Amino acid sequence: MRRKVNSSNGFMAESSVKKKRKAGARALAYIALGAVLIVLCAWASIPFAIPITLQLFGVFCCLELLGGRNGTIAIAVYLALGAAGLPVFAGFVGGFGALVGVTGGYLWGMLAIGLLYWLGTAAAGTRTAVRAALLIAGLLVCYAIGTVWFMNVQSLSGSKVGLWAALGSCVLPFIPFDLAKLVGAMLIAKRIKPHIGSAA
């Protein structure tokens, strides 16, 4: 009788390990797809001083579809690809220079959105209202990081820019577009999420 129990326990343990490996491989695949999605969204851009792109739409989709942890990892992978020199940023730009350039703060701000969403959903749950509030808060943090960064880089280059001037050129014109991206990502993720289930 003991042998049967032990054999059964061993089979269950082996089965559990296989399931974990399969889930881990699936998660890695989705993280990779999430990073690719952000790349594709970044390439869809309208050139301005700060390009209008679908980058944030990709970020919001990753977080909504993959969850805080995997979504944030996908964002980090995207930034790492850009830092390595691949042309994954808006305007087919790549290299570490883009991350420390005048608009680099907005790229780092995307990672801040992910981290805030990850921590927030872990602490407060994943209800729709909570997720929406966290994405909006993350967007505001992204604006703040990007604007301060923009002002500092401009100042270092000898072109000092005031706060209102920076907000007027880097933030205010983009708010309606970014909120539309946020709402669109949540609606699309709501339709797609049931089809990927625990893969996220």
Side-chain angles (χ1 to χ4, degrees):
M1 187 70 174
R2 257 183 216 174
R3 287 182 182 175
K4 288 184 179 179
V5 172
N6 290 339
S7 176
S8 176
N9 288 342
F11 175 77
M12 290 175 65
E14 185 177 350
S15 177
S16 177
V17 169
K18 286 183 178 179
K19 284 181 179 178
K20 286 181 180 178
R21 286 178 180 171
K22 187 176 180 180
R26 192 185 300 120
L28 288 175
Y30 274 88
I31 287 168
L33 288 173
V36 170
L37 173 63
I38 302 175
V39 172
L40 295 176
C41 288
W43 286 346
S45 67
I46 302 173
F48 281 102
I50 307 293
I52 296 177
T53 74
L54 292 179
Q55 229 169 3
L56 283 174
F57 174 77
V59 167
F60 295 145
C61 279
C62 280
L63 293 171
E64 283 288 290
L65 289 170
L66 305 184
R69 183 175 71 92
N70 289 347
T72 301
I73 293 173
I75 297 168
V77 168
Y78 167 70
L79 295 177
L81 291 173
L86 297 179
V88 298
F89 300 139
F92 299 93
V93 172
F96 192 73
L99 290 170
V100 297
V102 68
T103 60
Y106 295 101
L107 293 171
W108 292 112
M110 295 190 306
L111 185 60
I113 294 174
L115 291 171
L116 181 61
Y117 186 93
W118 181 3
L119 294 173
T121 51
T126 58
R127 286 172 294 128
T128 301
V130 171
R131 300 196 323 273
L134 289 170
L135 290 178
I136 292 171
L139 182 59
L140 294 175
V141 171
C142 180
Y143 286 154
I145 294 173
T147 302
V148 171
W149 189 292
F150 177 84
M151 292 170 63
N152 285 336
V153 173
Q154 289 284 54
S155 179
L156 290 172
S157 66
S159 304
K160 192 171 182 180
V161 177
L163 176 60
W164 287 110
L167 290 174
S169 61
C170 301
V171 174
L172 298 180
F174 302 92
I175 291 175
F177 298 103
D178 292 340
L179 289 177
K181 295 169 197 172
L182 190 156
V183 173
M186 291 193 74
L187 291 175
I188 290 173
K190 184 178 180 181
R191 297 290 298 272
I192 297 176
K193 183 78 171 177
H195 299 290
I196 64 175
S198 60

